[in-house]
Amino acid sequence: YLTEKRWERLPPKAPEPEKPAYAPAFGPGWAAIRIRDLLTGQKAFPALKGWELRAIEKGALDRDSAERSARQNGGWPAVNAMHAKAGERGQGMHGHGPEDERLGKLCEFVPIGTDCWRAWKAEHDLRGWPWLPDPGTMRGAYFPAGGPERLSEFEHAIRGNQDDVGGREAAE
């Protein structure tokens, strides 16, 4: 091996396989995936349960609030799974890609209890979206930068209209 210098004829080493990217819970990549899934629409249309329908008939339960709760708890299965992993075990997401990383850069940290935090909570309630589990020691979470009033910019970025971000408002 040494006298013949066989190492010079060895094929090149195969590249190391890429490790799947990890987005920590409540971080920018996690937030980007979460908000993207919420913005792209409800994924499931859960029906009210029999006991809920009977309670509505008896006047013991409001139909609108029951339907809203059903949507929040079952309308976005992937988001609810993210919430469960983050809330119960503090786990983020494995295997997100460069696009999620790009969208994560459009997010900012929002501390719990701030006006911006309350605005995001109100936006989630208005849209019927599920709200975050307790972020624990993180003391806040990431959301698209600029608060809910600039959510359309994040939505443009999701849909690939980055060149148009802010363009419509400028043209009006």
Side-chain angles (χ1 to χ4, degrees):
Y1 181 84
L2 293 175
T3 58
E4 295 177 23
K5 297 183 181 181
R6 287 187 179 179
W7 68 87
E8 293 176 349
R9 295 188 306 239
L10 291 175
K13 285 186 178 181
E16 293 283 328
E18 286 188 33
K19 294 180 182 176
Y22 180 72
F26 307 106
W30 188 89
I33 294 165
R34 180 181 175 277
I35 295 293
R36 180 201 61 214
D37 287 356
L38 291 171
L39 282 170
T40 55
Q42 188 173 341
K43 307 300 185 234
F45 298 92
L48 293 177
K49 295 173 178 59
W51 70 267
E52 291 170 313
L53 294 171
R54 288 188 295 279
I56 290 168
E57 287 174 12
K58 293 179 183 176
L61 186 63
D62 176 62
R63 178 176 286 280
D64 289 339
S65 62
E67 288 175 346
R68 177 181 295 271
S69 178
R71 276 193 313 275
Q72 288 175 337
N73 294 324
W76 290 272
V79 172
N80 287 324
M82 289 174 69
H83 288 180
K85 285 181 179 179
E88 295 167 9
R89 297 180 297 281
Q91 291 181 336
M93 301 215 24
H94 287 279
H96 71 286
E99 179 63 13
D100 301 317
E101 290 289 326
R102 181 185 68 79
L103 291 172
K105 291 177 183 172
L106 302 176
C107 295
E108 66 184 358
F109 185 75
V110 177
I112 295 172
T114 61
D115 288 342
C116 192
W117 182 269
R118 286 188 288 277
W120 277 114
K121 173 69 170 109
E123 186 71 19
H124 278 66
D125 290 344
L126 180 69
R127 293 175 180 251
W129 290 348
W131 182 239
L132 296 169
D134 181 2
T137 59
M138 195 158 162
R139 300 175 195 228
Y142 280 80
F143 289 94
E149 52 277 351
R150 291 188 43 203
L151 190 55
S152 62
E153 294 175 22
F154 189 80
E155 191 166 8
H156 284 294
I158 289 170
R159 302 197 190 291
N161 298 328
Q162 280 190 307
D163 297 335
D164 190 38
V165 172
R168 186 178 346 166
E169 293 80 12
E172 291 178 351

